[in-house]
Amino acid sequence: AEDKSETNIGFELSGDNIEEATNVPEKEKTALLESFTEYMESFNAEDPERYMNTISKNPEGFNYDAEKVKVEETFNDFNTIRTADNITIIEYDKSQAQVFSNIHTSFEQMDTGAKLEQNGRQVTVFVKEDGRGLVSSVYYIGETTESQRIPQT
């Protein structure tokens, strides 16, 4: 998702010191990690409706309708797999939670077979809507210096 928000994220997108928030109730931690897992798995399933069900209807960092169009185009044009490790809740309060992860993305353009691998660091900001944690904004920094245009969703 394209970032247009003013949210203060709980760490810098550089450096190695990622600290887990200590104030997250266990039930909320489990629910947030399940929401993050569904966000990742729905993207990898290339199911636009399922993926958009993980996105806030009122996102802070991007436009919901534009995200839907972008995701549908990405799923039509690319085989894409994203994996995450070092998944850590770094900030939490009753209004939002910030989940850090190292993301590996593999793109293959269907028309040409061109492939691109990219690693990066991401903070996914979740808000509560209808009792569920939904993605409101995404902060991502790629660790590669690829000059090719890469879809960011």
Side-chain angles (χ1 to χ4, degrees):
E2 192 176 329
D3 173 36
K4 296 179 184 167
S5 71
E6 295 296 321
T7 298
N8 291 321
I9 58 171
F11 84 112
E12 294 182 22
L13 286 167
S14 62
D16 295 324
N17 189 23
I18 305 302
E19 293 185 23
E20 185 170 13
T22 58
N23 64 329
V24 187
E26 197 59 38
K27 182 178 177 182
E28 289 295 316
K29 180 177 180 177
T30 299
L32 280 165
L33 295 176
E34 287 173 356
S35 292
F36 181 81
T37 298
E38 176 60 12
Y39 163 70
M40 295 293 291
E41 288 179 356
S42 64
F43 185 88
N44 288 337
E46 297 187 359
D47 181 336
E49 185 174 329
R50 181 178 164 197
Y51 176 79
M52 293 308 293
N53 283 334
T54 70
I55 305 297
S56 168
K57 299 293 188 265
N58 301 297
E60 182 179 307
F62 51 92
N63 177 280
Y64 181 88
D65 293 326
E67 178 73 359
K68 184 175 182 181
V69 169
K70 190 188 295 189
V71 164
E72 288 171 347
E73 289 173 354
T74 298
F75 293 167
N76 285 332
D77 296 342
F78 296 89
N79 286 325
T80 308
I81 299 292
R82 290 196 297 192
T83 57
D85 62 21
N86 195 20
I87 302 164
T88 307
I89 300 169
I90 57 170
E91 291 285 331
Y92 172 82
D93 65 37
K94 291 185 189 246
S95 65
Q96 72 168 17
Q98 299 175 16
V99 179
F100 170 86
S101 58
N102 291 315
I103 301 281
H104 176 78
T105 308
S106 173
F107 297 100
E108 181 178 356
Q109 192 169 31
M110 288 192 243
D111 289 349
T112 66
K115 294 181 181 181
L116 177 65
E117 304 281 323
Q118 185 178 39
N119 293 313
R121 299 159 62 87
Q122 179 169 307
V123 171
T124 308
V125 180
F126 288 87
V127 295
K128 275 240 172 138
E129 282 181 25
D130 302 322
R132 299 183 315 132
L134 300 176
V135 176
S136 177
S137 57
V138 174
Y139 299 83
Y140 178 86
I141 298 234
E143 294 179 355
T144 62
T145 55
E146 298 292 336
S147 59
Q148 296 172 314
R149 182 177 177 276
I150 300 169
Q152 291 297 315
T153 56

